[in-house]
Amino acid sequence: MTRAGSPQAIKIADYLFTRIRQLGIKSIFGVPGDYNLRLLDFVEPSGFHWIGNCNELNAAYAADGYARINGLSALITTYGVGELSAINGIAGAFAEKAGVIHIVGTPAREIQNSRARVHHTLADGDYRHFATMASHVTRAQTNILDPMTAPSRIDWVLQQALIYSQPVYIEIPEDMVDVAISASSLSIPISVPEVPLPIDEPVEEVLGRIYSAQRPIILVDGECRSMGILDQVDELVQKTWWPTWTTVFGKGLVNEELPNVYGHYSGRLGSKEWQTYFDTADLVIVLGPHYTDTNTYNFSTVPRDEVSISFSKNAVQIRGETFRDIPDDFLSRLVQTIDKARLNPVQGPSSLSFLNHELSINHEEPLVQKTFYSFVNSIFRENDLILTETGTAAHGGRQFKLPTKSRLFAPATWLSIGYMLPATLGAAVAHCEKNRNGGTRAILFIGDGSLQMSVQEISTIIHQHLNVIIFVINNAGYTIERAIHGRKQIYNDIAPWRHSQALGFFGVNEECSRNSFSARTYGELGIVLHDENIMNGTGVRLIEVFMGREDVEGALLGLMQSQIAKE
Amino acid sequence: MTRAGSPQAIKIADYLFTRIRQLGIKSIFGVPGDYNLRLLDFVEPSGFHWIGNCNELNAAYAADGYARINGLSALITTYGVGELSAINGIAGAFAEKAGVIHIVGTPAREIQNSRARVHHTLADGDYRHFATMASHVTRAQTNILDPMTAPSRIDWVLQQALIYSQPVYIEIPEDMVDVAISASSLSIPISVPEVPLPIDEPVEEVLGRIYSAQRPIILVDGECRSMGILDQVDELVQKTWWPTWTTVFGKGLVNEELPNVYGHYSGRLGSKEWQTYFDTADLVIVLGPHYTDTNTYNFSTVPRDEVSISFSKNAVQIRGETFRDIPDDFLSRLVQTIDKARLNPVQGPSSLSFLNHELSINHEEPLVQKTFYSFVNSIFRENDLILTETGTAAHGGRQFKLPTKSRLFAPATWLSIGYMLPATLGAAVAHCEKNRNGGTRAILFIGDGSLQMSVQEISTIIHQHLNVIIFVINNAGYTIERAIHGRKQIYNDIAPWRHSQALGFFGVNEECSRNSFSARTYGELGIVLHDENIMNGTGVRLIEVFMGREDVEGALLGLMQSQIAKE
């Protein structure tokens, strides 16, 4: 740590980066730009691994992916051009709750105060446009202008990211980077403040309903992650042994190898028996609800208020009544309090037997959405990161039977195509750090349309020596849009690429070309999946799988069919 | 045109696209998304060429490039994810004045009114975030919610784009696309309103100064383009034969082959004789001033108020006094009024003889920034579009001697790296349309760092069969940032790519590989420039030119040297 002057003094950049280190962040993403270079000088000396991305949107997506594994992440961009390029990624992190600390290097205070018409501004002398725009998609914002208030403002903003797992926005004028501030607060870590239980805490009511339940359900939704309650969820699932499902967003947050974990619930699109059980349940414990159309099959899988107890951030909702200001440890104390002896015996519906299509499919058959995902499921291993991009890949990935300790990334609400490839970079970096680089692996499923959005980030993945398998679904365009509208319209087409050349273009090692594969039939795919480079290889491997332009399954099938019917 | 009901009725989408056609737009850029598909159904039937981009930021950049050639352009994105991805490109069009009509397909009114938590929202029920954000970087905005006001709102917003050459923002809810509105106003074209000359119009004062000037200068800046006064500028330059320079932003807007056009003025970095003439000028006619740091060598080339007459949008400034509300045709009338016989004879400074380095450089020598640009200048032809991306390319391009009717794209203020490649797409499309596809050509100069930002748009350029030569300056990272700060810092490095494989990856024709070239020395470059595929070829050709990591020239040289001195 660089100290300027008295022992209690520290440069602002050192203060900020010390705080960020304390919060468990080890790598920082971003792109250099005129107004952040002096700030970037402090990144590596502060002990961080700097990951320079190809562009700022990709950097924001990567930081989001890192935060979803690590809890928090940091992103550095430059004023105007950089931060606005990133803003769609920040909005996604806001909507789906990823704690991205977005640090923007801005022009020096003197320049801003003089309203000088410098580059990366709108040439109107107004320096506040971009911060105002950022305020719509960040939980908290600060502009570090005064050494007196800098420590408390930095701490406050970082704490908001920690509490809410949402992005925050910090502006550092170029001339503030090495201004000395007080270091005295650094000895007290930034943490989630403790709040007392409210007087009317509903623990007895919740326990009463738990003990009286005859047909209970646990429904794990995606905000369990941002609420930081995954351990408690696991404990609840294993203490009650109650039938447990996930939403789309919750999939991968609970161990699918437990006998009482059924997988994800898709309402009338799934098992009739499951649907009947859901419809007649007398208690649904909802953990981390995130009720958006795309996460709930257009709201059809939202449990009825009358039978629900929902655990949200700072609130518990019981039969439609909201108890607010419930502290984070409420669920933990509840789980510990449950007396297993008082739980009624529960008979859940039958599990679906997982189909291993690898054994049953004729090897001459072309790859199709309906069976591709379960076929490829065989390669998944414990601790894998599995990522499914918006589009047919995300719909298909709902079929996956996930191994223990694996994590699934699936789009829930923001659904910005192009997200998942850079998110793979970020998530894989965090995953490696958590596992001390020991044999971790990420497997990405992405359509050819989405790939075009952010393809260059393959180069950063290669450059970072990450262990990533990329399945590119080549179906000649935006097939998910074809299912929604414009089945034959040219606007859903894309320019064709030679995907087999991607690794050669973005990498420089000759071996890259040996890591490119393709398959059109299950026979070909089977051979690829058993290739030594796929089974035990390292680095980036790309498998292009060809499927039909209008081939869809699951929820998309109904959409496509209704379109055909209308024509 | 689809008509619904009475002869006076027209669907909103048809109305909008009819207006856009009337404004001279022939191609529309964008990316499909859930909320704009129904709107996209109207694009091709309305007679437009749809250009689907790889992502929305690239689409915005392309639309900006199209607008700078065509006057106006149109961009279609989807709500939230799409429009926010594009917003940095819109901001650039706002700062540097390109009339991009940004049309966003939004959720149906019923969904918005119910505050439903649907995808592509922040899941907070608030549908106004993104329009509020857009208002910071667009000249005018409208949300088409009511058929009664739709025609006048559309017309008003489009007129703002036409008047100010800045982006505008139009939201079309999905259910409004085919709502019937009155077509009656369509017979009256949208135009720039006429305004009378103000009573105190300064024409006599301006003429008096013109007739008394002994050492006059014409300084052509970049807003001549957005003001739509390029013809009048040309007329003034040829009527007076006064010594004429351009700014960085103005370069390419006046015919550099005229004997009185000296090129661009770089103050103390350029000819001593020019600088003396500037410093002792008694009149500087400034056309379309755009005084930002990067366009004026940090404000050092801004002419003194005491000798300036500046023609801005709606205003004329004479010796520091501003006359407002001056109509667009003021300059035109002024030029016609000038009596050539009353102009004093003027002796300008000597022109710099343009160095044809192709003849004088030892062919063994490696390529360097100092001489590369004048060497390659030999391939330029009349009517070429020449584009230089932010970085060493833009600095180098200031040396170009531009042929008649050519146009130069150079960054002025926004300086968002990644802009110039998609802008090449858009500009080339507009250029082809203006020349009815007759042998037009674009030549792009771009650094390897900038290329990584938006490289995938090469595929759209290939797909659109455009005639583009891309010079990729491989200098292993962000050399312009190395000159500013962090000369040896790793954050200014990038992951290395095999540029020779770009065309093979993004294109599908075998010939692509035959269109890739590279050069490290002037000898090699000379051979490449004389290759038949470069001289007379078509399609996309890529020339990778290798230069030093810290090799800079011009204004950057001083920066780099002062950094080295500090170390």
Side-chain angles (χ1 to χ4, degrees):
Chain A
M1 191 186 303
T2 312
R3 287 177 182 258
S6 76
Q8 282 292 82
I10 187 169
K11 290 180 181 174
I12 285 178
D14 280 322
Y15 184 94
L16 175 65
F17 288 130
T18 301
R19 280 307 203 192
I20 289 174
R21 282 285 298 173
Q22 288 176 348
L23 289 167
I25 294 169
K26 294 189 175 71
S27 295
I28 297 183
F29 299 88
V31 178
D34 288 10
Y35 301 118
N36 69 22
L37 300 174
R38 281 165 186 80
L39 185 64
L40 293 181
D41 283 345
F42 289 77
V43 169
E44 294 237 318
S46 303
F48 292 100
H49 176 48
W50 168 253
I51 299 179
N53 296 89
C54 294
N55 65 44
E56 287 89 351
L57 179 56
N58 292 1
Y61 286 153
D64 173 305
Y66 185 97
R68 292 189 197 204
I69 296 295
N70 187 62
L72 290 172
S73 68
L75 165 71
I76 301 179
T77 64
T78 198
Y79 184 73
V81 292
E83 59 179 309
L84 290 192
S85 288
I87 208 163
N88 176 48
I90 299 299
F94 187 84
E96 298 192 3
K97 311 235 165 129
V100 178
I101 299 160
H102 186 188
I103 303 159
V104 180
T106 67
R109 289 171 295 175
E110 186 179 349
I111 293 174
Q112 294 196 42
N113 291 345
S114 71
R115 300 177 64 86
R117 298 185 176 202
V118 302
H119 60 294
H120 300 347
T121 73
L122 300 179
D124 63 356
D126 183 345
Y127 282 77
R128 305 313 304 152
H129 289 297
F130 315 131
T132 309
M133 292 163 80
S135 69
H136 286 275
V137 293
T138 50
R139 183 80 196 196
Q141 309 83 31
T142 191
N143 186 4
I144 302 303
L145 294 173
D146 186 336
M148 189 161 62
T149 57
S152 61
R153 295 301 293 168
I154 289 171
D155 288 1
W156 178 77
V157 163
L158 295 179
Q159 191 187 42
Q160 302 301 300
L162 184 65
I163 296 173
Y164 298 106
S165 275
Q166 284 185 306
V168 295
Y169 177 84
I170 302 175
E171 289 171 273
I172 313 265
E174 210 178 358
D175 64 318
M176 290 297 283
V177 166
D178 52 13
V179 166
I181 60 174
S182 166
S184 59
S185 48
L186 282 178
S187 56
I188 306 154
I190 294 171
S191 62
V192 176
E194 288 187 10
V195 273
L197 270 178
I199 289 148
D200 62 343
E201 63 140 340
V203 69
E204 286 309 320
E205 186 169 356
V206 173
L207 281 172
R209 290 190 187 276
I210 285 173
Y211 294 140
S212 65
Q214 303 284 343
R215 286 172 73 80
I217 286 171
I218 297 171
L219 181 65
V220 179
D221 203 351
E223 297 201 12
C224 287
R225 173 188 51 75
S226 52
M227 290 166 68
I229 57 169
L230 292 179
D231 288 345
Q232 293 92 304
V233 168
D234 187 58
E235 215 179 325
L236 179 68
V237 168
Q238 295 203 50
K239 188 164 190 178
T240 61
W241 292 112
W242 282 356
T244 299
W245 281 267
T246 72
T247 61
V248 169
F249 195 24
K251 189 169 169 71
L253 298 180
V254 61
N255 184 353
E256 294 196 355
E257 294 197 345
L258 293 173
N260 58 322
V261 176
Y262 287 77
H264 111 281
Y265 182 63
S266 58
R268 62 185 178 76
L269 289 170
S271 149
K272 200 79 201 159
E273 193 187 349
W274 291 7
Q275 206 190 340
T276 304
Y277 188 86
F278 252 80
D279 290 346
T280 57
D282 58 358
L283 176 64
V284 185
I285 304 271
V286 186
L287 302 159
H290 180 91
Y291 293 152
T292 57
D293 63 342
T294 29
N295 190 36
T296 59
Y297 293 86
N298 211 18
F299 308 108
S300 70
T301 58
V302 175
R304 287 165 296 134
D305 268 353
E306 310 89 84
V307 297
S308 298
I309 300 180
S310 294
F311 292 80
S312 300
K313 182 78 188 165
N314 295 339
V316 173
Q317 199 176 58
I318 303 171
R319 301 182 89 177
E321 186 190 353
T322 303
F323 294 80
R324 296 190 182 277
D325 311 315
I326 302 292
D328 285 351
D329 63 350
F330 180 79
L331 179 64
S332 173
R333 294 196 312 112
L334 180 82
V335 174
Q336 279 156 39
T337 312
I338 290 171
D339 178 359
K340 285 208 277 194
R342 294 180 63 188
L343 297 175
N344 290 313
V346 172
Q347 180 62 50
S350 51
S351 292
L352 300 179
S353 60
F354 183 75
L355 297 170
N356 186 341
H357 286 293
E358 198 171 357
L359 301 172
S360 60
I361 294 175
N362 181 333
H363 281 199
E364 303 295 307
E365 278 180 38
L367 302 176
V368 291
Q369 293 280 343
K370 189 178 166 69
T371 48
F372 167 74
Y373 300 94
S374 50
F375 188 92
V376 86
N377 208 134
S378 63
I379 71 165
F380 296 163
R381 297 193 300 237
E382 195 174 305
N383 208 29
D384 272 347
L385 264 182
I386 298 155
L387 304 100
T388 58
E389 169 68 306
T390 296
T392 55
H395 282 266
R398 295 175 188 174
Q399 300 170 17
F400 287 147
K401 170 87 171 168
L402 299 171
T404 308
K405 293 187 186 162
S406 63
R407 271 286 293 276
L408 180 76
F409 273 53
T413 293
W414 193 240
L415 275 66
S416 183
I417 63 169
Y419 162 78
M420 208 54 84
L421 172 61
T424 300
L425 164 66
V429 169
H431 196 48
C432 280
E433 288 172 0
K434 283 217 177 295
N435 292 274
R436 302 182 183 200
N437 301 305
T440 57
R441 193 172 71 156
I443 303 171
L444 167 66
F445 296 84
I446 185 169
D448 52 358
S450 292
L451 182 73
Q452 297 203 348
M453 297 265 153
S454 53
V455 65
Q456 56 268 77
E457 224 53 41
I458 288 177
S459 101
T460 316
I461 298 175
I462 294 171
H463 202 55
Q464 295 296 320
H465 306 292
L466 295 166
N467 199 358
V468 175
I469 297 172
I470 303 174
F471 286 90
V472 176
I473 298 160
N474 185 334
N475 51 12
Y478 305 112
T479 294
I480 192 169
E481 303 296 10
R482 296 192 205 283
I484 293 168
H485 189 84
R487 188 165 66 98
K488 301 284 188 195
Q489 295 279 33
I490 62 135
Y491 55 69
N492 286 326
D493 296 344
I494 56 172
W497 290 3
R498 284 199 190 107
H499 298 110
S500 62
Q501 298 192 15
L503 301 186
F505 174 49
F506 292 121
V508 274
N509 297 325
E510 282 304 330
E511 67 187 275
C512 283
S513 53
R514 278 184 276 127
N515 284 332
S516 293
F517 304 87
S518 75
R520 292 177 184 271
T521 65
Y522 283 97
E524 290 170 8
L525 182 59
I527 292 167
V528 171
L529 297 185
H530 288 95
D531 188 284
E532 179 61 19
N533 270 337
I534 297 298
M535 303 232 320
N536 301 306
T538 54
V540 180
R541 285 141 292 159
L542 187 146
I543 307 171
E544 182 174 25
V545 289
F546 292 85
M547 289 188 234
R549 286 163 65 96
E550 297 176 23
D551 176 19
V552 293
E553 61 74 57
L556 297 175
L557 191 59
L559 288 172
M560 188 72 93
Q561 285 167 342
S562 74
Q563 264 210 74
I564 294 169
K566 266 188 281 181
E567 283 163 11
Chain B
M1 191 186 305
T2 312
R3 287 176 181 257
S6 75
Q8 281 292 84
I10 186 170
K11 291 180 182 175
I12 285 178
D14 280 321
Y15 185 95
L16 175 65
F17 288 130
T18 300
R19 280 308 202 192
I20 290 174
R21 282 285 298 174
Q22 288 176 347
L23 288 166
I25 294 169
K26 294 190 174 71
S27 294
I28 296 183
F29 299 88
V31 178
D34 288 11
Y35 302 118
N36 70 22
L37 300 174
R38 282 164 185 80
L39 185 63
L40 293 181
D41 284 344
F42 289 78
V43 169
E44 294 237 318
S46 303
F48 292 100
H49 176 48
W50 169 251
I51 298 178
N53 297 88
C54 294
N55 64 43
E56 287 89 352
L57 179 55
N58 292 1
Y61 286 154
D64 173 305
Y66 185 96
R68 291 188 199 205
I69 296 294
N70 187 61
L72 291 172
S73 68
L75 165 71
I76 302 179
T77 64
T78 198
Y79 184 74
V81 293
E83 57 179 309
L84 290 192
S85 288
I87 208 163
N88 176 47
I90 299 299
F94 187 84
E96 299 191 1
K97 311 230 165 136
V100 178
I101 299 160
H102 187 189
I103 303 159
V104 180
T106 67
R109 288 171 295 175
E110 187 178 350
I111 293 174
Q112 295 196 43
N113 291 345
S114 71
R115 300 178 64 85
R117 298 184 176 204
V118 302
H119 60 293
H120 300 347
T121 71
L122 300 179
D124 63 355
D126 183 346
Y127 282 77
R128 305 312 305 151
H129 289 298
F130 315 131
T132 309
M133 292 163 80
S135 69
H136 286 274
V137 293
T138 50
R139 184 80 196 196
Q141 309 83 32
T142 192
N143 186 4
I144 302 303
L145 295 173
D146 185 337
M148 190 161 61
T149 57
S152 61
R153 295 301 292 169
I154 290 171
D155 288 0
W156 177 77
V157 164
L158 295 179
Q159 192 187 40
Q160 300 303 299
L162 185 65
I163 296 173
Y164 298 105
S165 275
Q166 283 185 306
V168 295
Y169 177 83
I170 302 175
E171 289 171 273
I172 312 266
E174 211 178 358
D175 65 317
M176 290 298 283
V177 166
D178 52 13
V179 166
I181 59 174
S182 165
S184 59
S185 48
L186 282 178
S187 57
I188 306 154
I190 294 171
S191 61
V192 176
E194 288 187 10
V195 272
L197 270 178
I199 290 150
D200 63 344
E201 62 139 341
V203 69
E204 286 309 319
E205 187 170 356
V206 173
L207 281 173
R209 291 187 186 278
I210 285 173
Y211 293 139
S212 66
Q214 304 283 342
R215 285 172 73 81
I217 286 172
I218 297 171
L219 182 63
V220 179
D221 202 351
E223 297 201 12
C224 287
R225 173 189 50 75
S226 52
M227 289 166 68
I229 57 169
L230 293 179
D231 288 345
Q232 293 93 305
V233 169
D234 186 58
E235 213 177 329
L236 179 68
V237 169
Q238 295 205 49
K239 188 163 190 177
T240 61
W241 292 112
W242 282 357
T244 299
W245 281 267
T246 72
T247 61
V248 170
F249 196 23
K251 189 170 169 69
L253 297 180
V254 60
N255 184 354
E256 295 197 353
E257 295 199 343
L258 293 174
N260 58 321
V261 176
Y262 287 77
H264 110 281
Y265 181 63
S266 57
R268 63 185 177 77
L269 290 170
S271 148
K272 199 81 201 156
E273 192 188 351
W274 291 6
Q275 205 188 341
T276 305
Y277 188 87
F278 252 79
D279 290 346
T280 56
D282 58 359
L283 176 64
V284 185
I285 303 270
V286 186
L287 301 159
H290 181 92
Y291 292 153
T292 58
D293 64 342
T294 30
N295 190 37
T296 59
Y297 293 86
N298 210 19
F299 308 111
S300 70
T301 58
V302 175
R304 287 166 294 134
D305 269 352
E306 310 90 84
V307 297
S308 298
I309 300 180
S310 294
F311 292 80
S312 299
K313 182 79 189 166
N314 294 340
V316 173
Q317 198 175 57
I318 302 173
R319 303 183 88 177
E321 186 190 354
T322 302
F323 294 80
R324 295 189 182 278
D325 312 316
I326 302 292
D328 285 351
D329 63 349
F330 179 78
L331 179 65
S332 172
R333 294 196 312 112
L334 181 81
V335 174
Q336 279 157 37
T337 311
I338 291 172
D339 178 0
K340 285 206 277 193
R342 295 181 62 189
L343 297 175
N344 291 314
V346 172
Q347 180 63 48
S350 51
S351 292
L352 301 178
S353 60
F354 183 75
L355 297 169
N356 187 341
H357 285 294
E358 197 169 0
L359 301 172
S360 60
I361 294 175
N362 180 333
H363 281 200
E364 302 295 304
E365 277 180 40
L367 302 176
V368 291
Q369 293 281 343
K370 189 177 164 67
T371 47
F372 167 74
Y373 299 94
S374 50
F375 188 92
V376 86
N377 208 133
S378 63
I379 71 165
F380 297 164
R381 297 194 299 237
E382 195 174 305
N383 208 28
D384 272 348
L385 262 182
I386 298 156
L387 305 100
T388 58
E389 170 67 306
T390 295
T392 56
H395 282 266
R398 295 175 189 175
Q399 301 171 18
F400 286 146
K401 170 89 172 167
L402 299 171
T404 308
K405 293 187 188 163
S406 63
R407 270 285 293 276
L408 180 75
F409 273 53
T413 293
W414 193 239
L415 274 66
S416 184
I417 62 170
Y419 163 79
M420 208 54 85
L421 172 61
T424 300
L425 164 67
V429 168
H431 196 47
C432 280
E433 288 172 0
K434 283 218 178 294
N435 291 274
R436 303 186 181 196
N437 301 306
T440 58
R441 193 172 71 156
I443 303 171
L444 168 66
F445 296 84
I446 184 169
D448 52 357
S450 292
L451 182 74
Q452 296 203 348
M453 296 267 153
S454 52
V455 65
Q456 55 270 75
E457 224 54 41
I458 289 177
S459 102
T460 316
I461 297 174
I462 294 172
H463 202 55
Q464 296 295 321
H465 306 292
L466 295 165
N467 198 359
V468 176
I469 297 172
I470 303 173
F471 285 90
V472 177
I473 298 160
N474 185 334
N475 50 12
Y478 305 113
T479 294
I480 192 169
E481 302 297 10
R482 296 191 204 282
I484 293 168
H485 188 83
R487 188 165 65 98
K488 301 282 189 195
Q489 295 280 32
I490 62 135
Y491 56 70
N492 286 326
D493 297 344
I494 56 171
W497 290 3
R498 283 199 191 108
H499 298 110
S500 62
Q501 298 193 14
L503 301 185
F505 174 48
F506 291 122
V508 276
N509 297 326
E510 283 304 328
E511 67 188 275
C512 284
S513 53
R514 278 184 276 127
N515 284 332
S516 294
F517 304 87
S518 75
R520 291 177 185 271
T521 64
Y522 284 97
E524 290 170 8
L525 182 59
I527 292 167
V528 171
L529 298 186
H530 288 93
D531 189 285
E532 179 62 19
N533 269 337
I534 297 297
M535 303 233 319
N536 301 306
T538 55
V540 180
R541 285 141 293 160
L542 187 146
I543 306 171
E544 182 175 25
V545 289
F546 292 85
M547 289 188 233
R549 287 163 65 94
E550 298 176 22
D551 176 20
V552 293
E553 61 75 56
L556 297 175
L557 191 60
L559 289 172
M560 188 71 92
Q561 284 167 342
S562 74
Q563 264 210 73
I564 294 169
K566 266 188 282 181
E567 284 164 12

